């Protein structure tokens, strides 16, 4: 009777505490030791499990170009004057940008008055978009390739555009597309020639358009596109020059 008293006291004590404490504190020391000694009962992860569960982040190739050229200096003064006779501002008008290292643009326009023969209007602009490599978004080149395709689609879908034509533009960057169309505005038919190109991780777009006023001839679409290609090649070259 005296030997069983401690055991009875222990059982009563365990019955008076919550179930979680019974499991934690009322099991025999031998049971706890047995479980600890058995393989596979450890609650911690093995070194091998920890190393395999932490997969390294996917790596992407670094972007080819880290800089953009100054947009208003991407085209030479000679090119601007040839494409935009009587240009208002030879230095160009820079577009607004919150980050000139990622995006930038510039435009020029001019009206050549030929008296009784009418007037010729020309508009020229260039824009740049640079994409960095990002592990979650992809390489800079792939991101630029996607943006290039979207810009081609967007330009071809310009509201009010008529007679839209698309064709490859050879010799401009890594890939380029020429988009030509007519657009009626200010009671005149404007001829548009746009080159969308990709050079590495940069998308460059050159827009060139014009119209004839007061009897002047409407610009020749073929000649307009040829000049746009010339400007686009110069702009693409400026990207490489800026990163030397």
């Amino acid at each position: 009777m005296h030997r069983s008293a401690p055991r009875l006291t222990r059982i009563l004590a365990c019955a008076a505490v919550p179930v979680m404490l019974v499991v934690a504190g009322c099991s025999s020391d031998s049971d706890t030791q047995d479980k600890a000694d058995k393989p596979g009962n450890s609650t911690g992860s093995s070194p091998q499990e920890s190393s395999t569960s932490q997969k390294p982040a996917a790596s992407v190739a670094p972007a080819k170009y880290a800089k953009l050229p100054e947009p208003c200096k991407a085209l030479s003064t000679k090119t601007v004057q040839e494409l935009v006779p009587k240009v208002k501002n030879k230095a160009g008008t820079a577009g607004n940008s919150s980050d000139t290292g990622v995006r930038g643009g510039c435009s020029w326009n001019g009206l050549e008055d030929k008296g009784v023969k009418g007037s010729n209007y020309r508009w020229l602009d260039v824009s740049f978009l640079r994409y960095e490599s990002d592990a979650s978004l992809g390489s800079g080149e792939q991101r630029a390739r996607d943006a290039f395709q979207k810009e081609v689609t967007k330009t071809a879908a310009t509201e009010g555009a008529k007679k839209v034509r698309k064709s490859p533009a050879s010799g401009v960057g890594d890939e380029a597309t020429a988009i030509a169309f007519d657009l009626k505005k200010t009671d005149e038919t404007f001829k548009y020639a746009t080159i969308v190109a990709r050079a590495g991780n940069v998308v460059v777009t050159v827009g060139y358009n014009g119209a004839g006023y007061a009897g002047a001839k409407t610009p020749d679409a073929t000649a307009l596109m040829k000049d746009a290609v010339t400007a686009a090649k110069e702009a693409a070259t400026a990207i490489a020059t800026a990163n030397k």
Side-chain angles (χ1 to χ4, degrees):
M1 289 294 292
H2 291 289
R3 285 195 299 271
S4 61
R7 183 181 178 191
L8 179 59
T9 302
R10 180 184 175 93
I11 292 173
L12 292 175
C14 288
V17 297
V19 175
M20 291 296 290
L21 294 180
V22 171
V23 174
C26 297
S27 299
S28 67
D29 293 340
S30 60
D31 288 345
T32 303
Q33 185 63 42
D34 288 344
K35 290 181 180 179
D37 292 340
K38 289 181 181 179
N41 281 332
S42 174
T43 56
S45 300
S46 67
Q48 183 176 0
E49 288 174 341
S50 299
S51 61
T52 55
S53 62
Q54 297 178 354
K55 295 181 180 179
S59 60
V60 293
K64 182 176 182 178
Y65 296 120
K67 300 177 182 178
L68 287 179
E70 291 185 47
C72 291
K73 293 182 179 180
L75 302 181
S76 68
T77 301
K78 179 183 178 182
T79 297
V80 170
Q81 289 181 310
E82 288 180 351
L83 272 58
V84 188
K86 302 297 181 181
V87 60
K88 288 183 179 180
N89 181 6
K90 294 178 183 179
T93 302
N96 294 326
S97 176
S98 58
D99 189 346
T100 55
V102 173
R103 66 177 68 234
C106 191
S107 63
W108 301 262
N109 69 86
L111 182 67
E112 183 183 25
D113 187 354
K114 292 189 174 184
V116 295
K117 292 184 179 180
S119 302
N120 291 318
Y121 176 80
R122 295 292 185 275
W123 171 283
L124 173 67
D125 64 66
V126 60
S127 67
F128 298 93
L129 281 172
R130 187 178 66 84
Y131 294 86
E132 284 284 5
S133 292
D134 187 290
S136 61
L137 300 175
S139 69
E141 184 170 332
Q142 182 57 55
R143 294 178 67 197
R145 189 177 291 114
D146 294 340
F148 162 77
Q149 294 294 347
K150 290 179 181 178
E151 187 62 27
V152 169
T153 301
K154 176 184 173 182
T155 301
T158 298
E159 185 177 358
K162 304 292 184 183
K163 300 179 181 179
V164 180
R165 290 93 65 199
K166 290 194 300 182
S167 60
S170 60
V172 186
D174 296 310
E175 57 182 330
T177 298
I179 306 103
F181 57 87
D182 296 350
L183 188 63
K184 187 89 170 180
K185 57 181 182 178
T186 62
D187 296 326
E188 301 293 342
T189 297
F190 280 67
K191 295 288 184 179
Y192 279 73
T194 301
I195 304 295
V196 181
R198 179 186 64 81
N201 58 307
V202 178
V203 175
V204 54
T205 303
V206 170
Y208 186 40
N209 69 76
Y213 286 98
K217 292 183 178 179
T218 299
D220 179 71
T222 301
L224 209 66
M225 183 59 76
K226 182 179 179 181
D227 288 340
V229 170
T230 297
K233 287 180 178 179
E234 198 169 315
T237 300
I239 299 169
T241 301
N243 285 272
K244 285 184 178 179

